[in-house]
Amino acid sequence: MTPQSSGGIKFSNGMNIPVELHKVRVVQKLHLKPVEERYEAIEKGGYNTFQLNTNDIFLDMLTDSGTNAMSDNQVASMLRSDDAYAGSQSFYRMEQAVRDVFGKKWVLPVHQGRAAENIISQTFISKGDVIPMNYHFTTTMAHMELNGGKVFEIYTDEALKIKSDVLFKGNIDTVKLEALIDQYGPEKVPFIRMEASTNLIGGQPFSIQNMMEVKAIADKYGIMMVLDASLIGENAWFIKQREEEFKNAPVSEILLTMCGMADIVYFSSRKVSSTRGGGIATNSEELYMKMRDLVVLFEGFTTYGGMSVREIEAMAVGLYETTDETVISQSPSFIEYTVNELDKLGIPVIMPAGALGCHIDAMGFLPHVPQKEYPAGALAAALYLVSGIRGMERGTISSIRDENGNDILADVELLRLAFPRRVFTLSQTMFVIDRVQWLHKNRELVGGLEFVEEPAVLRFFNGKLKPTSDWPQKLMAKFREDFGNSL
Ligand SMILES: *Cc1c(COP(=O)(O)O)cnc(C)c1O
């Protein structure tokens, strides 16, 4: 695949590095602590990177959720927020932004993405329903199952391949989709869900072509389309880069085309508009009315939905900025740089590069760690120990157990290193590449993990684990041997 240039910038000497298209104006001090202190921190956190305190972290690459940098205009907008329980002007500005950017008239605010999933699932899913989608997201599946639905992932054969040249691994397999609808009957399918920049398989986009084909099937059977737009900006950017027909289309137009095919669009503003909160939008008054009362019940009045008015203002500005290519290209171009460099070093990463982060294939990285000992979790803990970089496990720890109490092994074991928008610089990115390379050279030293405390729901957030041997001490000793007194 030809590498994309960094937001369109070419170097005369042929160098292919991403360029920051913004300047730093407010800074936050980071903490790069000695390896011994990081060892204490990860021990205390039960080898779960969610349990770390940012005071012990150098580069926080856990997630892009609520961690994107805000723009000057977003911060400025918060000053003019209109404090009102009902009818706040801030809400109407946000509503207008959703109309302009997503092309949807009726807007319900919610406190974050999963709140939208709660409301959509409660409203439309009944016991025994099946919900086809390109791939699940953790909170999506939890809410759908809570309401008695069953999630079916209808991805293409290529989607779970670590290294591939297929540019749209987030596509739905339309043949399998139709077979599923025929098998259960369309009356059992309340909607088809498409997730932009499919999070759990490496931030992989779907194409407009694919969405059109899925939409045609949905129309044929009279089934609704629901679009999870939490990462829609990046998906639109990839469409522009990778789908011939749209290479000259403005991102704003691509966004409207995507949303235009969905009956309901919902989003986490923590991702798409770099603030907090979320929303549900539709052009159908009937659908809006079906969901509205649950917003009042679970979130707050329909003009704030559990958000502060300051957040709502920043969300409006952030939504408009999602149509700005210099904003949405930043994270994908840094991810692509990292992915290509790691690939050159022989480190297994998900290719082509996707949205939200660089995804390292933990089973390829640590082939000696059996999947039941959670290689992705072990790799996350090991990388933190040797670098202060916090990534997130996206593998079997993020999965669940079956009725007999056995782990349902994840399709892929990934260590995700998220690149929140406009947060890290190129030298920090090079530090990441260096430490991952060092860990790869010393990968034999990394062992597995086992649970010591395991919550019944979404266990990856608050679960505690321990190493299956004294491998962390050995890894720490090797770090000292190679790096001396360096941090
Ligand atoms: C983060 C995310 C959600 C959930 O949003 P929250 O704001 O974290 O509740 C839902 N879908 C996708 C694709 C996401 O990335």
Side-chain angles (χ1 to χ4, degrees):
M1 202 195 123
T2 48
Q4 296 154 16
S5 56
S6 41
I9 294 175
K10 284 202 176 75
F11 283 82
S12 63
N13 63 8
M15 217 163 40
N16 188 23
I17 58 170
V19 176
E20 294 86 354
L21 299 170
H22 48 266
K23 68 174 179 177
V24 177
R25 291 180 62 209
V26 177
V27 294
Q28 180 181 346
K29 185 178 155 58
L30 295 172
H31 305 270
L32 182 51
K33 294 194 167 168
V35 67
E36 292 77 11
E37 288 182 34
R38 295 197 295 256
Y39 173 72
E40 275 172 35
I42 197 75
E43 270 275 318
K44 193 163 152 250
Y47 289 81
N48 177 354
T49 56
F50 275 100
Q51 298 294 315
L52 293 168
N53 182 323
T54 58
N55 195 37
D56 298 318
I57 290 169
F58 178 42
L59 303 177
D60 189 3
M61 307 183 88
L62 184 77
T63 174
D64 58 331
S65 179
T67 56
N68 291 332
M70 276 205 199
S71 69
D72 47 359
N73 286 327
Q74 281 187 292
V75 175
S77 75
M78 292 168 91
L79 285 177
R80 68 162 185 174
S81 53
D82 175 25
D83 267 312
Y85 187 91
S88 166
Q89 292 170 52
S90 301
F91 172 74
Y92 297 114
R93 283 193 273 270
M94 187 276 268
E95 185 185 54
Q96 191 57 49
V98 174
R99 288 177 180 170
D100 292 342
V101 178
F102 294 157
K104 297 287 182 221
K105 182 162 180 254
W106 299 91
V107 183
L108 289 165
V110 292
H111 80 275
Q112 64 184 87
R114 72 199 65 182
E117 291 169 337
N118 172 37
I119 286 162
I120 292 169
S121 300
Q122 285 207 41
T123 307
F124 299 105
I125 297 176
S126 316
K127 199 167 177 339
D129 279 353
V130 302
I131 306 104
M133 58 186 67
N134 45 356
Y135 207 77
H136 80 280
F137 184 69
T138 48
T139 55
T140 322
M141 183 147 95
H143 279 295
M144 290 179 171
E145 290 186 343
L146 204 61
N147 285 283
K150 191 162 164 30
V151 164
F152 283 85
E153 294 163 323
I154 321 284
Y155 46 79
T156 61
D157 294 339
E158 201 72 22
L160 301 183
K161 272 194 202 146
I162 298 296
K163 207 167 168 171
S164 160
D165 341 301
V166 171
L167 299 179
F168 291 105
K169 294 204 286 186
N171 280 354
I172 282 187
D173 185 321
T174 49
V175 175
K176 291 184 202 157
L177 174 65
E178 215 162 347
L180 182 84
I181 297 170
D182 283 337
Q183 187 189 341
Y184 286 88
E187 65 286 351
K188 284 277 166 218
V189 185
F191 56 83
I192 299 167
R193 172 178 174 275
M194 286 191 87
E195 181 181 312
S197 304
T198 326
N199 191 325
L200 294 191
I201 61 167
Q204 298 292 317
F206 58 73
S207 65
I208 296 260
Q209 176 64 34
N210 183 250
M211 194 175 185
M212 284 168 68
E213 288 164 15
V214 172
K215 165 87 175 134
I217 294 170
D219 285 349
K220 177 172 155 191
Y221 292 95
I223 298 171
M224 267 198 328
M225 292 272 283
V226 172
L227 173 62
D228 181 337
S230 302
L231 297 164
I232 197 171
E234 286 76 7
N235 199 125
W237 168 251
F238 286 125
I239 286 171
K240 188 174 167 93
Q241 301 300 304
R242 300 176 183 180
E243 199 166 354
E244 183 59 28
E245 217 184 312
F246 294 90
K247 69 175 186 214
N248 296 319
V251 164
S252 56
E253 203 177 297
I254 296 174
L255 290 171
L256 288 172
T257 307
M258 293 169 84
C259 293
M261 286 187 268
D263 299 283
I264 293 175
V265 174
Y266 77 89
F267 57 94
S268 166
S269 180
R270 301 176 64 84
K271 328 269 170 71
V272 71
S273 35
S274 305
T275 157
R276 314 287 174 270
I280 308 173
T282 176
N283 275 334
S284 156
E285 187 176 1
E286 189 192 336
L287 294 178
Y288 169 86
M289 291 306 282
K290 279 189 182 160
M291 294 182 280
R292 189 187 63 179
D293 292 348
L294 288 181
V295 171
V296 184
L297 192 58
F298 287 100
E299 302 300 308
F301 189 66
T302 38
T303 57
Y304 74 91
M307 282 181 277
S308 76
V309 281
R310 291 158 64 85
E311 287 164 355
I312 296 174
E313 287 283 357
M315 185 169 155
V317 176
L319 283 171
Y320 286 115
E321 288 177 354
T322 297
T323 65
D324 180 341
E325 287 173 23
T326 71
V327 175
I328 58 165
S329 66
Q330 282 292 285
S331 170
S333 57
F334 275 73
I335 293 164
E336 182 176 60
Y337 173 76
T338 309
V339 163
N340 289 346
E341 291 300 307
L342 291 177
D343 179 56
K344 276 189 234 159
L345 294 167
I347 295 164
V349 279
I350 289 204
M351 295 187 82
L356 105 156
C358 163
H359 296 75
I360 299 176
D361 166 28
M363 285 198 277
F365 199 107
L366 301 174
H368 55 283
V369 176
Q371 202 179 355
K372 62 181 188 343
E373 291 182 15
Y374 313 125
L379 189 57
L383 182 63
Y384 168 72
L385 184 63
V386 304
S387 67
I389 298 164
R390 167 161 78 165
M392 189 195 291
E393 190 267 5
R394 293 277 81 157
T396 299
I397 295 178
S398 300
S399 176
I400 50 174
R401 290 187 188 269
D402 63 18
E403 54 272 22
N404 302 318
N406 297 316
D407 271 322
I408 299 179
L409 299 178
D411 294 326
V412 281
E413 290 285 329
L414 303 177
L415 167 59
R416 183 181 80 189
L417 301 175
F419 281 78
R421 270 186 206 162
R422 305 195 288 185
V423 169
F424 299 124
T425 62
L426 186 59
S427 65
Q428 290 171 331
T429 305
M430 289 163 83
F431 175 86
V432 173
I433 294 165
D434 178 72
R435 288 302 195 264
V436 171
Q437 184 186 12
W438 183 87
L439 189 59
H440 191 244
K441 278 194 201 134
N442 294 287
R443 61 190 178 276
E444 291 295 337
L445 292 174
V446 180
L449 297 175
E450 60 188 285
F451 268 102
V452 288
E453 253 182 71
E454 192 178 335
V457 184
L458 298 173
R459 64 181 182 174
F460 60 91
F461 282 131
N462 286 313
K464 296 227 162 154
L465 302 100
K466 68 173 170 78
T468 51
S469 68
D470 65 348
W471 65 261
Q473 286 99 321
K474 291 194 171 123
L475 189 62
M476 187 161 56
K478 179 69 176 151
F479 179 92
R480 275 283 165 249
E481 197 183 309
D482 285 10
F483 289 98
N485 288 333
S486 168
L487 290 167

